[in-house]
Amino acid sequence: MGGIVLVDKPGGVTSHDVVARARRALGTRKIGHAGTLDPMATGLLILGVDEATRLLTYIVGLDKTYEATIRLGVATDSDDADGAITATTDAAHLTSAAIAAAITPLTGRISQVPSTVSAIKVGGRRAYDLARAGEEVELKARDVTVSRFDVVRERTTTASPTGGAVVDLDVVVDCSSGTYIRALARDLGASLGVGGHLTALRRTRIGPFDVADAASVDAIAEAPLRTPAAVAGSVLGRLEVTADEARDLRHGKRLAGAADRIPGGTAAAIDPHGALVGIVERRGADLKSAMNMPEEQTR
């Protein structure tokens, strides 16, 4: 019935490359992922295999944690190290206090303009394709939440093309889905008047899933396959249902007056055999299936 695989993506490959490797390793074409990582980025990539691809929509919107390095004093056209340098400014005068003060407005609920070189679609085309074709790209600001933006290490070196000093910040960021860490680097550098870009990025957490539990791309075939029931239960919470209730949900019937059996708006319905029936959601006082697993896949 498939399942979920946690993979530690290396740098220099795309998320699609990892999916292609997984298709060969696991012998199936039906594999997707819950959130792209840029080629330069490393870290946690969550793959859905076969019927478990249906669960990816419930994973992609989870909060995430990143470890990153931001270079202050150099700006690039992609807001990361893969882009061309557009400006350099000596950052030797920056103090820790000034950096901390500039980070404060970039935490909490903020309005962020995504990086131009992003996967957002504009008129049906990816923004990065438009930018690489030399077309002007204007992306709308979006509200995101940055719940943690901590500097864990700060160092000043002479490394810019003009010989001026740059300041490298190793940071940890907890944020909502849709947050661009490259944009945080860009906006922090702009606020300080020296420019900034991302030189390293590693995703360490998506919701309850941690990169410490992920397999390397060379070990995907041997990686543990997390069952749909275990994954959906950890993400949405479990609703234990009887055999009769499981049958009713699979047949599209509601569980009358059962809304108070789940604490939130959705939950994973688990049958007496421990299999995932599907995802249920509140409809007034009732519960109704929002997504069902194929019955033959739950045994």
mmCIF file of all heavy atoms in Angstrom, residues 121-167:
data_model
loop_
_atom_site.group_PDB
_atom_site.id
_atom_site.type_symbol
_atom_site.label_atom_id
_atom_site.label_comp_id
_atom_site.label_asym_id
_atom_site.label_seq_id
_atom_site.Cartn_x
_atom_site.Cartn_y
_atom_site.Cartn_z
ATOM 1 N N LYS A 121 4.412 30.155 -9.565
ATOM 2 C CA LYS A 121 3.966 30.319 -10.943
ATOM 3 C C LYS A 121 3.399 31.720 -11.174
ATOM 4 O O LYS A 121 2.640 32.244 -10.369
ATOM 5 C CB LYS A 121 2.904 29.272 -11.289
ATOM 6 C CG LYS A 121 3.477 27.873 -11.498
ATOM 7 C CD LYS A 121 2.437 26.924 -12.063
ATOM 8 C CE LYS A 121 3.057 25.572 -12.381
ATOM 9 N NZ LYS A 121 2.066 24.632 -12.956
ATOM 10 N N VAL A 122 3.810 32.309 -12.296
ATOM 11 C CA VAL A 122 3.311 33.612 -12.727
ATOM 12 C C VAL A 122 2.774 33.431 -14.143
ATOM 13 O O VAL A 122 3.543 33.160 -15.067
ATOM 14 C CB VAL A 122 4.423 34.691 -12.715
ATOM 15 C CG1 VAL A 122 3.855 36.038 -13.154
ATOM 16 C CG2 VAL A 122 5.057 34.796 -11.334
ATOM 17 N N GLY A 123 1.469 33.560 -14.293
ATOM 18 C CA GLY A 123 0.884 33.349 -15.611
ATOM 19 C C GLY A 123 1.129 31.957 -16.147
ATOM 20 O O GLY A 123 1.296 31.767 -17.358
ATOM 21 N N GLY A 124 1.167 30.979 -15.242
ATOM 22 C CA GLY A 124 1.348 29.589 -15.658
ATOM 23 C C GLY A 124 2.782 29.160 -15.827
ATOM 24 O O GLY A 124 3.051 27.987 -16.121
ATOM 25 N N ARG A 125 3.733 30.067 -15.608
ATOM 26 C CA ARG A 125 5.153 29.731 -15.744
ATOM 27 C C ARG A 125 5.871 29.960 -14.422
ATOM 28 O O ARG A 125 5.517 30.859 -13.656
ATOM 29 C CB ARG A 125 5.817 30.566 -16.848
ATOM 30 C CG ARG A 125 5.263 30.319 -18.239
ATOM 31 C CD ARG A 125 5.891 31.257 -19.244
ATOM 32 N NE ARG A 125 7.327 31.062 -19.349
ATOM 33 C CZ ARG A 125 8.144 31.886 -20.048
ATOM 34 N NH1 ARG A 125 7.638 32.965 -20.641
ATOM 35 N NH2 ARG A 125 9.430 31.637 -20.116
ATOM 36 N N ARG A 126 6.888 29.128 -14.149
ATOM 37 C CA ARG A 126 7.661 29.271 -12.926
ATOM 38 C C ARG A 126 8.436 30.583 -12.951
ATOM 39 O O ARG A 126 8.980 30.978 -13.987
ATOM 40 C CB ARG A 126 8.644 28.103 -12.773
ATOM 41 C CG ARG A 126 7.980 26.731 -12.701
ATOM 42 C CD ARG A 126 7.240 26.521 -11.408
ATOM 43 N NE ARG A 126 6.724 25.155 -11.299
ATOM 44 C CZ ARG A 126 5.943 24.743 -10.307
ATOM 45 N NH1 ARG A 126 5.605 25.578 -9.341
ATOM 46 N NH2 ARG A 126 5.493 23.497 -10.270
ATOM 47 N N ALA A 127 8.502 31.245 -11.788
ATOM 48 C CA ALA A 127 9.208 32.519 -11.710
ATOM 49 C C ALA A 127 10.668 32.377 -12.110
ATOM 50 O O ALA A 127 11.228 33.250 -12.778
ATOM 51 C CB ALA A 127 9.096 33.090 -10.294
ATOM 52 N N TYR A 128 11.300 31.240 -11.720
ATOM 53 C CA TYR A 128 12.716 31.093 -12.055
ATOM 54 C C TYR A 128 12.924 30.929 -13.563
ATOM 55 O O TYR A 128 13.961 31.342 -14.099
ATOM 56 C CB TYR A 128 13.377 29.962 -11.273
ATOM 57 C CG TYR A 128 12.744 28.588 -11.382
ATOM 58 C CD1 TYR A 128 12.786 27.856 -12.551
ATOM 59 C CD2 TYR A 128 12.137 28.001 -10.277
ATOM 60 C CE1 TYR A 128 12.222 26.592 -12.648
ATOM 61 C CE2 TYR A 128 11.563 26.743 -10.354
ATOM 62 C CZ TYR A 128 11.613 26.048 -11.546
ATOM 63 O OH TYR A 128 11.050 24.791 -11.633
ATOM 64 N N ASP A 129 11.949 30.334 -14.262
ATOM 65 C CA ASP A 129 12.065 30.226 -15.713
ATOM 66 C C ASP A 129 11.973 31.604 -16.373
ATOM 67 O O ASP A 129 12.701 31.914 -17.324
ATOM 68 C CB ASP A 129 10.970 29.312 -16.278
ATOM 69 C CG ASP A 129 11.213 27.848 -15.950
ATOM 70 O OD1 ASP A 129 12.394 27.458 -15.809
ATOM 71 O OD2 ASP A 129 10.236 27.096 -15.839
ATOM 72 N N LEU A 130 11.057 32.436 -15.871
ATOM 73 C CA LEU A 130 10.916 33.791 -16.401
ATOM 74 C C LEU A 130 12.180 34.608 -16.154
ATOM 75 O O LEU A 130 12.665 35.317 -17.038
ATOM 76 C CB LEU A 130 9.710 34.477 -15.753
ATOM 77 C CG LEU A 130 8.328 33.884 -16.061
ATOM 78 C CD1 LEU A 130 7.269 34.527 -15.190
ATOM 79 C CD2 LEU A 130 7.984 34.073 -17.533
ATOM 80 N N ALA A 131 12.722 34.493 -14.926
ATOM 81 C CA ALA A 131 13.922 35.259 -14.581
ATOM 82 C C ALA A 131 15.111 34.838 -15.435
ATOM 83 O O ALA A 131 15.883 35.680 -15.916
ATOM 84 C CB ALA A 131 14.239 35.077 -13.098
ATOM 85 N N ARG A 132 15.257 33.520 -15.656
ATOM 86 C CA ARG A 132 16.389 33.034 -16.451
ATOM 87 C C ARG A 132 16.242 33.400 -17.916
ATOM 88 O O ARG A 132 17.234 33.464 -18.656
ATOM 89 C CB ARG A 132 16.521 31.520 -16.280
ATOM 90 C CG ARG A 132 17.027 31.127 -14.891
ATOM 91 C CD ARG A 132 16.793 29.665 -14.584
ATOM 92 N NE ARG A 132 17.187 29.333 -13.211
ATOM 93 C CZ ARG A 132 16.825 28.232 -12.586
ATOM 94 N NH1 ARG A 132 16.045 27.334 -13.188
ATOM 95 N NH2 ARG A 132 17.218 28.009 -11.338
ATOM 96 N N ALA A 133 14.999 33.653 -18.342
ATOM 97 C CA ALA A 133 14.765 34.071 -19.730
ATOM 98 C C ALA A 133 14.923 35.572 -19.891
ATOM 99 O O ALA A 133 14.731 36.104 -20.993
ATOM 100 C CB ALA A 133 13.364 33.645 -20.172
ATOM 101 N N GLY A 134 15.288 36.253 -18.815
ATOM 102 C CA GLY A 134 15.510 37.689 -18.879
ATOM 103 C C GLY A 134 14.256 38.523 -18.755
ATOM 104 O O GLY A 134 14.290 39.740 -18.957
ATOM 105 N N GLU A 135 13.130 37.892 -18.408
ATOM 106 C CA GLU A 135 11.878 38.624 -18.262
ATOM 107 C C GLU A 135 11.756 39.194 -16.852
ATOM 108 O O GLU A 135 12.244 38.622 -15.887
ATOM 109 C CB GLU A 135 10.685 37.712 -18.560
ATOM 110 C CG GLU A 135 10.680 37.160 -19.982
ATOM 111 C CD GLU A 135 9.453 36.317 -20.267
ATOM 112 O OE1 GLU A 135 8.369 36.669 -19.748
ATOM 113 O OE2 GLU A 135 9.580 35.317 -20.999
ATOM 114 N N GLU A 136 11.097 40.336 -16.759
ATOM 115 C CA GLU A 136 10.909 40.966 -15.453
ATOM 116 C C GLU A 136 9.863 40.199 -14.658
ATOM 117 O O GLU A 136 8.801 39.850 -15.177
ATOM 118 C CB GLU A 136 10.465 42.417 -15.632
ATOM 119 C CG GLU A 136 10.403 43.196 -14.331
ATOM 120 C CD GLU A 136 10.125 44.670 -14.540
ATOM 121 O OE1 GLU A 136 10.299 45.147 -15.675
ATOM 122 O OE2 GLU A 136 9.729 45.326 -13.560
ATOM 123 N N VAL A 137 10.180 39.931 -13.412
ATOM 124 C CA VAL A 137 9.288 39.151 -12.553
ATOM 125 C C VAL A 137 8.926 39.982 -11.335
ATOM 126 O O VAL A 137 9.802 40.468 -10.619
ATOM 127 C CB VAL A 137 9.959 37.835 -12.101
ATOM 128 C CG1 VAL A 137 9.006 37.044 -11.211
ATOM 129 C CG2 VAL A 137 10.394 37.011 -13.299
ATOM 130 N N GLU A 138 7.629 40.153 -11.105
ATOM 131 C CA GLU A 138 7.148 40.852 -9.919
ATOM 132 C C GLU A 138 6.241 39.905 -9.142
ATOM 133 O O GLU A 138 5.178 39.515 -9.627
ATOM 134 C CB GLU A 138 6.389 42.120 -10.309
ATOM 135 C CG GLU A 138 7.281 43.207 -10.903
ATOM 136 C CD GLU A 138 6.519 44.510 -11.112
ATOM 137 O OE1 GLU A 138 5.362 44.592 -10.633
ATOM 138 O OE2 GLU A 138 7.070 45.416 -11.742
ATOM 139 N N LEU A 139 6.684 39.525 -7.971
ATOM 140 C CA LEU A 139 5.918 38.608 -7.135
ATOM 141 C C LEU A 139 5.230 39.379 -6.009
ATOM 142 O O LEU A 139 5.790 40.332 -5.461
ATOM 143 C CB LEU A 139 6.829 37.537 -6.545
ATOM 144 C CG LEU A 139 7.533 36.634 -7.564
ATOM 145 C CD1 LEU A 139 8.467 35.667 -6.856
ATOM 146 C CD2 LEU A 139 6.513 35.871 -8.397
ATOM 147 N N LYS A 140 4.027 38.968 -5.683
ATOM 148 C CA LYS A 140 3.275 39.626 -4.626
ATOM 149 C C LYS A 140 3.773 39.175 -3.256
ATOM 150 O O LYS A 140 4.192 38.026 -3.079
ATOM 151 C CB LYS A 140 1.786 39.302 -4.768
ATOM 152 C CG LYS A 140 1.154 39.857 -6.036
ATOM 153 C CD LYS A 140 -0.325 39.509 -6.096
ATOM 154 C CE LYS A 140 -0.972 40.063 -7.363
ATOM 155 N NZ LYS A 140 -2.418 39.710 -7.439
ATOM 156 N N ALA A 141 3.702 40.083 -2.313
ATOM 157 C CA ALA A 141 4.059 39.738 -0.930
ATOM 158 C C ALA A 141 3.043 38.760 -0.374
ATOM 159 O O ALA A 141 1.874 38.745 -0.771
ATOM 160 C CB ALA A 141 4.119 40.997 -0.072
ATOM 161 N N ARG A 142 3.500 37.906 0.529
ATOM 162 C CA ARG A 142 2.615 36.946 1.183
ATOM 163 C C ARG A 142 2.905 36.962 2.677
ATOM 164 O O ARG A 142 4.038 37.237 3.113
ATOM 165 C CB ARG A 142 2.815 35.545 0.617
ATOM 166 C CG ARG A 142 4.263 35.058 0.686
ATOM 167 C CD ARG A 142 4.405 33.611 0.261
ATOM 168 N NE ARG A 142 3.983 33.413 -1.117
ATOM 169 C CZ ARG A 142 3.958 32.221 -1.708
ATOM 170 N NH1 ARG A 142 4.338 31.149 -1.038
ATOM 171 N NH2 ARG A 142 3.579 32.102 -2.955
ATOM 172 N N ASP A 143 1.886 36.668 3.454
ATOM 173 C CA ASP A 143 2.054 36.613 4.910
ATOM 174 C C ASP A 143 2.609 35.251 5.310
ATOM 175 O O ASP A 143 2.082 34.214 4.901
ATOM 176 C CB ASP A 143 0.726 36.851 5.617
ATOM 177 C CG ASP A 143 0.258 38.287 5.511
ATOM 178 O OD1 ASP A 143 1.101 39.167 5.256
ATOM 179 O OD2 ASP A 143 -0.955 38.543 5.676
ATOM 180 N N VAL A 144 3.677 35.269 6.089
ATOM 181 C CA VAL A 144 4.278 34.050 6.623
ATOM 182 C C VAL A 144 4.579 34.297 8.095
ATOM 183 O O VAL A 144 4.544 35.432 8.576
ATOM 184 C CB VAL A 144 5.576 33.663 5.865
ATOM 185 C CG1 VAL A 144 5.279 33.366 4.401
ATOM 186 C CG2 VAL A 144 6.630 34.767 5.981
ATOM 187 N N THR A 145 4.904 33.210 8.792
ATOM 188 C CA THR A 145 5.236 33.330 10.214
ATOM 189 C C THR A 145 6.624 32.766 10.475
ATOM 190 O O THR A 145 6.915 31.624 10.119
ATOM 191 C CB THR A 145 4.212 32.581 11.087
ATOM 192 O OG1 THR A 145 2.916 33.152 10.885
ATOM 193 C CG2 THR A 145 4.570 32.699 12.564
ATOM 194 N N VAL A 146 7.472 33.585 11.070
ATOM 195 C CA VAL A 146 8.814 33.165 11.481
ATOM 196 C C VAL A 146 8.809 33.151 13.012
ATOM 197 O O VAL A 146 8.879 34.195 13.656
ATOM 198 C CB VAL A 146 9.898 34.122 10.943
ATOM 199 C CG1 VAL A 146 11.281 33.691 11.427
ATOM 200 C CG2 VAL A 146 9.854 34.166 9.423
ATOM 201 N N SER A 147 8.681 31.973 13.589
ATOM 202 C CA SER A 147 8.552 31.876 15.041
ATOM 203 C C SER A 147 9.898 31.873 15.758
ATOM 204 O O SER A 147 9.961 32.148 16.960
ATOM 205 C CB SER A 147 7.751 30.631 15.425
ATOM 206 O OG SER A 147 8.284 29.480 14.813
ATOM 207 N N ARG A 148 10.969 31.545 15.021
ATOM 208 C CA ARG A 148 12.318 31.623 15.601
ATOM 209 C C ARG A 148 13.298 32.028 14.526
ATOM 210 O O ARG A 148 13.268 31.511 13.406
ATOM 211 C CB ARG A 148 12.740 30.278 16.207
ATOM 212 C CG ARG A 148 14.192 30.301 16.725
ATOM 213 C CD ARG A 148 14.567 29.082 17.552
ATOM 214 N NE ARG A 148 14.463 27.823 16.854
ATOM 215 C CZ ARG A 148 15.261 26.762 17.077
ATOM 216 N NH1 ARG A 148 16.215 26.833 17.998
ATOM 217 N NH2 ARG A 148 15.094 25.642 16.428
ATOM 218 N N PHE A 149 14.162 32.984 14.833
ATOM 219 C CA PHE A 149 15.229 33.428 13.924
ATOM 220 C C PHE A 149 16.427 33.728 14.818
ATOM 221 O O PHE A 149 16.660 34.857 15.214
ATOM 222 C CB PHE A 149 14.770 34.657 13.149
ATOM 223 C CG PHE A 149 15.665 35.076 12.001
ATOM 224 C CD1 PHE A 149 15.197 35.983 11.055
ATOM 225 C CD2 PHE A 149 16.951 34.596 11.852
ATOM 226 C CE1 PHE A 149 15.988 36.386 9.990
ATOM 227 C CE2 PHE A 149 17.760 34.988 10.796
ATOM 228 C CZ PHE A 149 17.263 35.897 9.860
ATOM 229 N N ASP A 150 17.185 32.673 15.147
ATOM 230 C CA ASP A 150 18.272 32.781 16.116
ATOM 231 C C ASP A 150 19.636 32.720 15.433
ATOM 232 O O ASP A 150 19.862 31.861 14.578
ATOM 233 C CB ASP A 150 18.203 31.636 17.137
ATOM 234 C CG ASP A 150 17.023 31.764 18.077
ATOM 235 O OD1 ASP A 150 16.444 32.859 18.158
ATOM 236 O OD2 ASP A 150 16.677 30.762 18.736
ATOM 237 N N VAL A 151 20.523 33.609 15.831
ATOM 238 C CA VAL A 151 21.914 33.556 15.382
ATOM 239 C C VAL A 151 22.687 32.678 16.362
ATOM 240 O O VAL A 151 22.730 32.958 17.566
ATOM 241 C CB VAL A 151 22.533 34.958 15.322
ATOM 242 C CG1 VAL A 151 24.018 34.861 14.938
ATOM 243 C CG2 VAL A 151 21.785 35.844 14.337
ATOM 244 N N VAL A 152 23.297 31.617 15.859
ATOM 245 C CA VAL A 152 24.047 30.718 16.731
ATOM 246 C C VAL A 152 25.556 30.925 16.592
ATOM 247 O O VAL A 152 26.322 30.495 17.451
ATOM 248 C CB VAL A 152 23.686 29.242 16.446
ATOM 249 C CG1 VAL A 152 22.230 28.985 16.773
ATOM 250 C CG2 VAL A 152 23.966 28.862 15.003
ATOM 251 N N ARG A 153 25.967 31.588 15.512
ATOM 252 C CA ARG A 153 27.392 31.892 15.336
ATOM 253 C C ARG A 153 27.540 33.074 14.397
ATOM 254 O O ARG A 153 26.782 33.203 13.433
ATOM 255 C CB ARG A 153 28.136 30.676 14.762
ATOM 256 C CG ARG A 153 29.652 30.855 14.688
ATOM 257 C CD ARG A 153 30.299 29.672 14.016
ATOM 258 N NE ARG A 153 31.740 29.833 13.894
ATOM 259 C CZ ARG A 153 32.514 29.139 13.078
ATOM 260 N NH1 ARG A 153 31.967 28.202 12.306
ATOM 261 N NH2 ARG A 153 33.813 29.344 13.020
ATOM 262 N N GLU A 154 28.507 33.931 14.701
ATOM 263 C CA GLU A 154 28.761 35.116 13.882
ATOM 264 C C GLU A 154 30.267 35.249 13.666
ATOM 265 O O GLU A 154 31.053 35.115 14.607
ATOM 266 C CB GLU A 154 28.210 36.357 14.598
ATOM 267 C CG GLU A 154 28.497 37.673 13.912
ATOM 268 C CD GLU A 154 28.010 38.863 14.734
ATOM 269 O OE1 GLU A 154 27.021 38.703 15.484
ATOM 270 O OE2 GLU A 154 28.647 39.938 14.647
ATOM 271 N N ARG A 155 30.676 35.490 12.420
ATOM 272 C CA ARG A 155 32.100 35.650 12.142
ATOM 273 C C ARG A 155 32.303 36.649 11.006
ATOM 274 O O ARG A 155 31.532 36.679 10.053
ATOM 275 C CB ARG A 155 32.752 34.309 11.802
ATOM 276 C CG ARG A 155 32.076 33.541 10.698
ATOM 277 C CD ARG A 155 32.484 32.066 10.726
ATOM 278 N NE ARG A 155 31.892 31.330 9.624
ATOM 279 C CZ ARG A 155 30.637 30.854 9.626
ATOM 280 N NH1 ARG A 155 29.865 31.036 10.693
ATOM 281 N NH2 ARG A 155 30.172 30.201 8.589
ATOM 282 N N THR A 156 33.354 37.451 11.132
ATOM 283 C CA THR A 156 33.682 38.472 10.140
ATOM 284 C C THR A 156 34.965 38.083 9.432
ATOM 285 O O THR A 156 35.964 37.755 10.067
ATOM 286 C CB THR A 156 33.856 39.852 10.812
ATOM 287 O OG1 THR A 156 32.653 40.194 11.503
ATOM 288 C CG2 THR A 156 34.165 40.918 9.779
ATOM 289 N N THR A 157 34.924 38.098 8.093
ATOM 290 C CA THR A 157 36.107 37.759 7.292
ATOM 291 C C THR A 157 36.222 38.714 6.122
ATOM 292 O O THR A 157 35.266 39.400 5.753
ATOM 293 C CB THR A 157 36.016 36.318 6.741
ATOM 294 O OG1 THR A 157 34.840 36.195 5.938
ATOM 295 C CG2 THR A 157 35.964 35.302 7.863
ATOM 296 N N THR A 158 37.394 38.744 5.529
ATOM 297 C CA THR A 158 37.603 39.513 4.306
ATOM 298 C C THR A 158 37.455 38.553 3.139
ATOM 299 O O THR A 158 38.360 37.794 2.825
ATOM 300 C CB THR A 158 38.991 40.172 4.287
ATOM 301 O OG1 THR A 158 39.115 41.029 5.426
ATOM 302 C CG2 THR A 158 39.189 40.991 3.013
ATOM 303 N N ALA A 159 36.281 38.590 2.530
ATOM 304 C CA ALA A 159 36.007 37.585 1.512
ATOM 305 C C ALA A 159 35.242 38.124 0.322
ATOM 306 O O ALA A 159 34.958 37.390 -0.610
ATOM 307 C CB ALA A 159 35.213 36.434 2.132
ATOM 308 N N SER A 160 34.893 39.404 0.305
ATOM 309 C CA SER A 160 34.138 39.923 -0.828
ATOM 310 C C SER A 160 35.069 40.180 -2.007
ATOM 311 O O SER A 160 36.290 40.316 -1.833
ATOM 312 C CB SER A 160 33.425 41.218 -0.454
ATOM 313 O OG SER A 160 34.322 42.315 -0.472
ATOM 314 N N PRO A 161 34.539 40.264 -3.217
ATOM 315 C CA PRO A 161 35.395 40.495 -4.397
ATOM 316 C C PRO A 161 36.177 41.797 -4.333
ATOM 317 O O PRO A 161 37.221 41.926 -4.956
ATOM 318 C CB PRO A 161 34.382 40.511 -5.559
ATOM 319 C CG PRO A 161 33.217 39.708 -5.056
ATOM 320 C CD PRO A 161 33.149 40.009 -3.596
ATOM 321 N N THR A 162 35.669 42.773 -3.575
ATOM 322 C CA THR A 162 36.361 44.062 -3.490
ATOM 323 C C THR A 162 37.323 44.123 -2.306
ATOM 324 O O THR A 162 37.960 45.147 -2.079
ATOM 325 C CB THR A 162 35.330 45.193 -3.349
ATOM 326 O OG1 THR A 162 34.532 44.958 -2.176
ATOM 327 C CG2 THR A 162 34.425 45.248 -4.563
ATOM 328 N N GLY A 163 37.423 43.042 -1.573
ATOM 329 C CA GLY A 163 38.330 43.018 -0.431
ATOM 330 C C GLY A 163 37.725 43.516 0.852
ATOM 331 O O GLY A 163 38.391 43.534 1.883
ATOM 332 N N GLY A 164 36.464 43.946 0.820
ATOM 333 C CA GLY A 164 35.798 44.390 2.031
ATOM 334 C C GLY A 164 35.410 43.220 2.906
ATOM 335 O O GLY A 164 35.421 42.060 2.486
ATOM 336 N N ALA A 165 35.030 43.518 4.137
ATOM 337 C CA ALA A 165 34.659 42.471 5.081
ATOM 338 C C ALA A 165 33.221 42.020 4.855
ATOM 339 O O ALA A 165 32.351 42.808 4.481
ATOM 340 C CB ALA A 165 34.824 42.973 6.510
ATOM 341 N N VAL A 166 33.013 40.751 5.084
ATOM 342 C CA VAL A 166 31.661 40.193 5.104
ATOM 343 C C VAL A 166 31.420 39.591 6.473
ATOM 344 O O VAL A 166 32.362 39.202 7.173
ATOM 345 C CB VAL A 166 31.455 39.123 4.008
ATOM 346 C CG1 VAL A 166 31.622 39.717 2.612
ATOM 347 C CG2 VAL A 166 32.389 37.937 4.213
ATOM 348 N N VAL A 167 30.152 39.508 6.842
ATOM 349 C CA VAL A 167 29.762 38.887 8.108
ATOM 350 C C VAL A 167 28.912 37.668 7.788
ATOM 351 O O VAL A 167 27.884 37.779 7.108
ATOM 352 C CB VAL A 167 28.974 39.864 8.999
ATOM 353 C CG1 VAL A 167 28.507 39.165 10.267
ATOM 354 C CG2 VAL A 167 29.816 41.091 9.333
#
